[in-house]
Amino acid sequence: FSLMTTTAFAVETYFNYNPKSQYKEPYRDITRQGDNLEAVLLRRIKSAKKSVYVAVQEFRLPSLAQELVTLKKAGVDVRVILEKDYNFDVLHQRPGTEEGEGSDHRELRAFVDMNKNGKIEVSELEARDAVYILNKGRVPVIDDGSGSNAGPGLMHHKFIIIDGKATVVTTANFT
């Protein structure tokens, strides 16, 4: 018995620290060497017609969250899975219990506080807090502690499946 299958697929690769490209990060106004992960992700998900499934440890890219909400409103099945330690908006941060976690929370707060007045305003949440944007847009978000799973806080997936036909795999968190 033999089975022959013909499948055409393309593999695209992108790199941080790519000496041939650079981009300006829109949120922190920093020029970075390398390929712009956010731009690649946005371009890929905008092609979705039926579904976009995201599994990522940490999600802090507001433009990506806004596009997922737009797709959901257009009838695309959008779902997100996060690690439980990162499934919060800036107003509902949990204090860190491990070394270094507190700095993540401070970074998020500073990132969302666009006018740097020390107060988080609704307009800042709507513009910069990806988890807030997803929740407000009614995008289903679960984490590795959902349901009967206690969630060890070790969910390090970083992929997107688009229409069951394209998969974006990365080692980078969406931050």
Side-chain angles (χ1 to χ4, degrees):
F1 178 78
S2 66
L3 175 67
M4 184 185 302
T5 306
T6 306
T7 305
F9 66 91
V11 175
E12 298 175 24
T13 57
Y14 301 90
F15 301 94
N16 55 354
Y17 306 114
N18 181 350
K20 296 180 182 178
S21 65
Q22 65 180 19
Y23 66 97
K24 187 166 189 159
E25 185 189 288
Y27 312 112
R28 294 180 188 97
D29 200 26
I30 298 170
T31 299
R32 296 189 181 268
Q33 196 69 34
D35 297 316
N36 184 341
L37 173 66
E38 183 178 23
V40 170
L41 296 174
L42 282 168
R43 188 181 81 243
R44 296 301 299 175
I45 69 168
K46 284 181 179 187
S47 69
K49 302 291 183 234
K50 296 178 183 175
S51 61
V52 178
Y53 303 137
V54 178
V56 65
Q57 179 185 20
E58 185 177 2
F59 194 132
R60 299 287 174 233
L61 297 175
S63 292
L64 190 62
Q66 290 163 350
E67 184 61 29
L68 290 172
V69 169
T70 298
L71 289 166
K72 175 154 180 42
K73 288 179 180 176
V76 174
D77 181 19
V78 178
R79 302 177 196 194
V80 176
I81 303 172
L82 301 174
E83 181 180 305
K84 72 176 182 176
D85 292 338
Y86 296 99
N87 187 9
F88 58 83
D89 61 50
V90 76
L91 297 178
H92 298 96
Q93 293 186 44
R94 295 179 289 277
T97 56
E98 295 181 27
E99 185 178 323
E101 282 187 326
S103 65
D104 288 344
H105 299 292
R106 284 189 299 277
E107 270 185 22
L108 176 60
R109 189 167 202 65
F111 175 66
V112 173
D113 186 11
M114 294 164 54
N115 63 13
K116 306 302 178 205
N117 69 356
K119 300 174 191 169
I120 303 299
E121 300 166 14
V122 172
S123 61
E124 293 171 320
L125 290 166
E126 293 171 343
R128 286 254 178 115
D129 192 313
V131 174
Y132 180 90
I133 293 165
L134 292 172
N135 288 328
K136 185 176 181 196
R138 302 189 192 283
V139 171
V141 178
I142 63 169
D143 59 49
D144 63 337
S146 297
S148 62
N149 184 8
L154 297 174
M155 200 283 288
H156 282 39
H157 303 307
K158 293 149 177 120
F159 63 87
I160 300 175
I161 300 171
I162 303 160
D163 292 338
K165 295 179 181 179
T167 303
V168 177
V169 179
T170 178
T171 59
N173 283 311
F174 296 0
T175 58

